[in-house]
Amino acid sequence: MSLTRRQLLVYAGATTTLLQLSPRFSFADEPPVRGGTLRMHIAIEPPILVNLTHTAGATVYIAAKVTEGLLTYDLDLNPRPQLATAWTVSDDGLEYTFSLREGVKWHDGQDFTADDVVFSLQTLKASNPRGRATFANVASVTAINPHLVQLTLSKPAPYLLKALAACESPIVARHVYGDARPETHANATAPIGTGPFVFKEWVRGSHVILERNPNYWDAPKPYLDRVIVRFIGDSAATVAALEAGEIDISTGGVPLSDIERIKGNPRLSVDDRGEPYVNSITRIEFNFDNAYLQKHEVRTAIAHAINLDFIRKTIFLGYGKPLYGPISPDMKNFYSPDLPRYAFDVAKANQLLDEAGLARDGNGVRFKLTLDPLPGPETYRRTADYIKQALAKVGILVTLRSQDFASYVKRVYTDRDFDFTLNGMSNLFDPTVGVQRLYWSKNFQPGVPFSNGAHYSNPKVDELLEAAAVETDVQKRFALFAQFQKQVVEDLPDLGVLTLVNPVVYDKRVKDFFVGAEGLGSNGAQIYIKG
């Protein structure tokens, strides 16, 4: 059941009052400590620092600390004020009104106004890979006055109120961009925001430095003086830096095999809850433009040849849950457990390939494929090694290809020079935003990263996705997504491997880093270092 216009106003107003009385999202039993530097590590260096026209995953851990959103979210995905202090939604779901926070300054001293929101949302709709779908039904964005914005929709968008976090829909400064193309603007790599931290420098291949914003609207926050984000791709070096006290917190950079040992370190701790706003999964995606992988029986044979339980237990050491379809089981409002499954059965896989007329040659090889695993945590490479061995048993000779992140993205999404890939994707907070992009035929757009890389097209799936995107009845929407999941599992454009958990390893002195749905991707204003 959705909240009425009046309920939303009362809720937002009460929340704002509550936040003014106590530190937002702080569950500490003691007052936060002011000062200090947080040394944060991420394994993959992002290509940009603002997710305005790009959706690079690692960007989220930096972007929101500089560039904020209209809303933020608690651990149950309930919206909370950020740059918007109150909001209403009309009963028909076609009009959204946001009251904006007054007295907010951009880092260059200019005033934050409704014009910035209008520009940002229009740009997200026009140029962001996910924003195209998220804001597809937004017919107009209007500045009613400097602190009031109205969105008028052509059709309902039941997911929209959850799509306004900084890491998903950043609000940027209109005056900074001017008339330049947002896709190539320098603000993407040297951002000016309203957030608690001001961008200082980015040394490629090394680090990003963010300094405390002395004019932040939510004084006395932020508590930290500085955030230094270090990029270390080598997992052994990451562990060594953590244990030596050179890094305070790391996400996704520590080998799972080291987690139990690290838990015994009296100075370090591990948080493996996962981020409710992100809902990451790992999957094998097939390129339908490949002559072999176009055949359903070949994809089915591959599914039977891979022991997903082995991957989850042996390579991921039990971190994560089985994934039988396109939607994470952690998305309880959308996940359907009643799906077809492909049991591990090597004999069945060989039978299917024989029936497809793909006989073995004198060396026992039926055909060859190249697998491109996503550059990043060592679990991807280890899983790719296992897939190579597993498919060799059914006569498929796999070559593994390694490359940096930028080369991987260009190869898969622009050049389309790949056979199949092992990748990680975010289901996000709603399937229309995080899942639809991967299976909707209209989202096959070469050059747009993290979209329909398979070149999958099924009119029935398109119809289900488009209907779910505008359905406001919760039960009917669930039914549409249940049908969608079943059809995708039958068609096999990809094979779910598991839900993904990237444990955060941190120094116990670091407090309040995970207090909302965005996890370490929050703006970080509440983080402090004790002692």
Side-chain angles (χ1 to χ4, degrees):
M1 181 180 296
S2 61
L3 295 173
T4 66
R5 175 190 290 266
R6 182 177 182 278
Q7 285 173 322
L8 281 167
L9 274 171
V10 171
Y11 173 76
T15 303
T16 304
T17 302
L18 202 66
L19 296 174
Q20 291 171 345
L21 295 175
S22 61
R24 179 170 45 235
F25 297 148
S26 179
F27 300 100
D29 296 326
E30 56 195 22
V33 177
R34 180 77 174 269
T37 296
L38 178 71
R39 297 163 300 177
M40 187 170 77
H41 162 259
I42 54 179
I44 301 176
E45 183 173 10
I48 41 86
L49 300 181
V50 182
N51 275 339
L52 182 68
T53 61
H54 203 295
T55 57
T59 301
V60 303
Y61 297 111
I62 304 174
K65 294 168 178 55
V66 177
T67 308
E68 296 181 297
L70 288 176
L71 303 175
T72 185
Y73 302 85
D74 66 18
L75 290 169
D76 295 319
L77 287 175
N78 295 310
R80 298 286 189 255
Q82 196 162 87
L83 290 177
T85 57
W87 50 93
T88 66
V89 182
S90 62
D91 292 337
D92 61 6
L94 298 179
E95 184 180 286
Y96 289 66
T97 304
F98 294 92
S99 298
L100 304 181
R101 193 175 298 278
E102 299 185 27
V104 177
K105 298 284 187 180
W106 293 101
H107 294 159
D108 62 1
Q110 297 293 312
D111 290 331
F112 160 71
T113 71
D115 288 340
D116 301 311
V117 177
V118 172
F119 172 78
S120 300
L121 298 187
Q122 289 176 340
T123 303
L124 286 162
K125 178 179 179 178
S127 303
N128 187 280
R130 289 200 293 260
R132 289 187 178 96
T134 303
F135 298 100
N137 296 342
V138 177
S140 65
V141 185
T142 306
I144 304 301
N145 64 47
H147 297 99
L148 191 67
V149 171
Q150 185 177 88
L151 278 63
T152 302
L153 279 61
S154 57
K155 299 176 183 177
Y159 49 85
L160 189 59
L161 204 59
K162 292 183 179 179
L164 301 174
C167 59
E168 183 65 19
S169 301
I171 302 301
V172 299
R174 175 71 182 90
H175 69 275
V176 168
Y177 283 83
D179 296 326
R181 291 188 63 217
E183 295 86 351
T184 56
H185 198 278
N187 192 70
T189 55
I192 293 172
T194 59
F197 298 97
V198 178
F199 171 79
K200 180 69 174 179
E201 72 172 21
W202 182 0
V203 177
R204 301 279 182 164
S206 176
H207 65 268
V208 164
I209 295 179
L210 310 177
E211 301 280 1
R212 184 179 189 274
N213 177 6
N215 302 310
Y216 188 49
W217 56 263
D218 196 11
K221 298 174 184 175
Y223 301 120
L224 297 169
D225 289 333
R226 183 179 298 104
V227 177
I228 299 176
V229 183
R230 292 183 59 188
F231 310 119
I232 305 175
D234 182 82
S235 57
T238 300
V239 173
L242 279 163
E243 293 181 328
E246 298 170 0
I247 294 173
D248 300 313
I249 192 164
S250 172
T251 176
V254 176
L256 297 177
S257 55
D258 287 339
I259 294 296
E260 288 304 314
R261 179 176 59 80
I262 285 174
K263 288 180 179 178
N265 187 316
R267 190 176 53 80
L268 301 175
S269 191
V270 178
D271 192 312
D272 58 6
R273 285 177 289 178
E275 297 160 332
Y277 201 80
V278 177
N279 290 306
S280 296
I281 63 169
T282 300
R283 60 202 273 268
I284 298 166
E285 185 173 27
F286 304 110
N287 185 353
F288 276 35
D289 295 332
N290 177 279
Y292 295 111
L293 296 175
Q294 285 177 352
K295 300 179 180 180
H296 186 266
E297 58 266 43
V298 170
R299 302 194 303 277
T300 304
I302 291 174
H304 282 300
I306 296 173
N307 188 337
L308 299 176
D309 199 46
F310 173 85
I311 294 174
R312 185 174 61 86
K313 292 180 178 179
T314 305
I315 298 177
F316 286 83
L317 302 180
Y319 284 92
K321 301 174 184 176
L323 179 66
Y324 301 116
I327 294 180
S328 166
D330 290 335
M331 301 179 73
K332 296 179 175 60
N333 293 334
F334 305 103
Y335 173 70
S336 173
D338 185 23
L339 296 173
R341 298 185 183 180
Y342 298 92
F344 175 55
D345 189 336
V346 175
K348 178 69 172 177
N350 275 307
Q351 178 187 342
L352 286 165
L353 293 172
D354 287 340
E355 292 173 352
L358 297 167
R360 296 176 185 263
D361 64 15
N363 296 315
V365 177
R366 300 178 189 272
F367 58 89
K368 300 176 182 180
L369 294 174
T370 299
L371 174 60
D372 290 282
L374 179 75
E378 50 99 24
T379 45
Y380 282 102
R381 182 68 194 199
R382 291 184 60 202
T383 302
D385 287 335
Y386 164 74
I387 292 171
K388 176 179 179 177
Q389 296 170 19
L391 296 189
K393 295 178 181 179
V394 298
I396 302 174
L397 183 63
V398 174
T399 299
L400 302 183
R401 182 161 44 199
S402 298
Q403 58 219 300
D404 61 31
F405 183 73
S407 298
Y408 169 86
V409 170
K410 182 175 183 294
R411 178 184 297 281
V412 173
Y413 297 104
T414 300
D415 301 339
R416 296 198 50 75
D417 177 24
F418 78 105
D419 297 332
F420 68 139
T421 175
L422 174 71
N423 60 39
M425 289 291 172
S426 299
N427 276 181
L428 295 169
F429 45 88
D430 189 284
T432 295
V433 180
V435 179
Q436 175 172 317
R437 62 193 168 115
L438 306 177
Y439 306 97
W440 192 33
S441 69
K442 297 174 186 176
N443 212 39
F444 173 68
Q445 299 180 16
V448 177
F450 315 115
S451 55
N452 182 352
H455 198 179
Y456 170 61
S457 178
N458 183 327
K460 180 180 178 181
V461 165
D462 287 351
E463 182 181 340
L464 290 168
L465 288 170
E466 290 165 11
V470 299
E471 180 55 67
T472 57
D473 183 279
V474 174
Q475 293 182 339
K476 290 180 180 178
R477 195 163 187 248
F478 177 87
L480 290 166
F481 278 125
Q483 294 178 62
F484 154 76
Q485 291 170 78
K486 183 178 180 181
Q487 188 63 56
V488 166
V489 173
E490 290 177 354
D491 290 348
L492 265 180
D494 60 0
L495 176 66
V497 177
L498 81 166
T499 61
L500 188 62
V501 175
N502 286 322
V504 175
V505 179
Y506 64 100
D507 189 302
K508 292 178 181 178
R509 298 177 304 124
V510 180
K511 305 295 182 181
D512 282 5
F513 68 86
F514 197 143
V515 292
E518 299 102 302
L520 200 56
S522 73
N523 71 3
Q526 77 288 340
I527 300 175
Y528 67 96
I529 298 176
K530 179 184 177 183

